[in-house]
Amino acid sequence: MTNPALATPTRRRWLAWAAAAPLAAALPGCGYNEFQRLDEEVNAAWAEVLNQYQRRADLVPNLVATVQGEANFERDTLTRVIEARSRATAIQVTPELLRDPEALQRFQAAQGELGSALARLLVVAEQYPNLKANQAFADLRVQLEGTENRIAVARNRYIQAVQRYNTLVRSFPTNLTAMVLGYQPKAGFAPGNAAELAQPPKVDFGTPGR
């Protein structure tokens, strides 16, 4: 008697993949090993993007605390930074994020909002001589500038890694391996802003103590 569980579509697909995977892996030119290599490359590139975003988020509390010492500093500018950081860190980052272009776009939008808020804060800070002369603020500003540059590099590497992986998924004959083993294209940054993301923000952080 047939087990009803074996008749479910999910179960049938799993059995088909389990049966076909060894065959696909044995075929010359199927790209199985290349899929594994590029998948690891994408994951590593994405992990570095997240690492640099977290590094930036970790700088924000100290930066805000330092700026708050300037009694007349614009309250709205500080509030925007605090709220933007809260939204950016509230998004749950799961493996599914890389398979969902809309979710990745929301994540990147939140990170972009934080970047813009920080850029605005640093521009406004130029109007406060006491802040410009504050060594703690100067050190944080340099760290933030370096982090923004590392974010740009990490995002660019991720964009390139996803492009290589997705090309393999869509190319013949490796697209057949992708179909058999269930490999799907990974979400990249939106084409319209990929070039922009590859560059750090155009913000003049100035020279400490200038």
Side-chain angles (χ1 to χ4, degrees):
M1 184 174 180
T2 303
N3 188 336
L6 297 178
T8 65
T10 300
R11 182 68 171 173
R12 286 199 299 270
R13 283 197 298 270
W14 187 90
L15 291 173
W17 291 345
L23 178 61
L27 292 175
C30 73
Y32 177 82
N33 290 337
E34 189 69 358
F35 273 116
Q36 309 314 306
R37 185 182 71 80
L38 293 183
D39 185 53
E40 289 299 322
E41 185 178 300
V42 170
N43 291 337
W46 178 243
E48 184 59 20
V49 170
L50 295 180
N51 180 52
Q52 296 305 331
Y53 277 142
Q54 185 61 52
R55 178 187 175 92
R56 181 175 67 180
D58 290 344
L59 287 173
V60 171
N62 287 338
L63 184 64
V64 169
T66 302
V67 172
Q68 283 177 329
E70 183 65 44
N72 297 322
F73 196 84
E74 293 183 11
R75 175 61 53 183
D76 287 348
T77 300
L78 276 175
T79 299
R80 288 172 187 168
V81 169
I82 295 170
E83 292 179 347
R85 180 187 186 275
S86 178
R87 285 190 288 270
T89 56
I91 296 178
Q92 185 177 10
V93 180
T94 65
E96 287 71 28
L97 189 69
L98 298 186
R99 295 190 290 269
D100 187 341
E102 292 185 0
L104 182 60
Q105 186 175 7
R106 289 193 296 271
F107 173 81
Q108 183 55 34
Q111 295 295 340
E113 182 181 350
L114 176 56
S116 296
L118 285 168
R120 171 62 183 168
L121 182 148
L122 294 175
V123 169
V124 172
E126 288 295 308
Q127 304 171 19
Y128 293 82
N130 289 341
L131 268 179
K132 293 173 66 176
N134 184 311
Q135 188 59 48
F137 178 75
D139 291 343
L140 287 167
R141 182 169 54 182
V142 170
Q143 291 181 57
L144 186 59
E145 179 182 27
T147 300
E148 290 291 356
N149 287 329
R150 283 189 286 270
I151 286 173
V153 171
R155 287 186 307 206
N156 193 37
R157 287 176 178 167
Y158 173 74
I159 290 169
Q160 294 173 359
V162 168
Q163 183 180 34
R164 287 190 289 270
Y165 178 89
N166 288 347
T167 297
L168 190 68
V169 170
R170 297 187 175 102
S171 299
F172 181 84
T174 52
N175 64 327
L176 301 179
T177 302
M179 291 172 60
V180 170
L181 299 180
Y183 295 132
Q184 298 293 327
K186 295 182 183 294
F189 295 118
N193 66 353
E196 177 184 349
L197 292 175
Q199 301 296 328
K202 302 297 183 182
V203 177
D204 180 8
F205 290 91
T207 302
R210 184 176 62 186

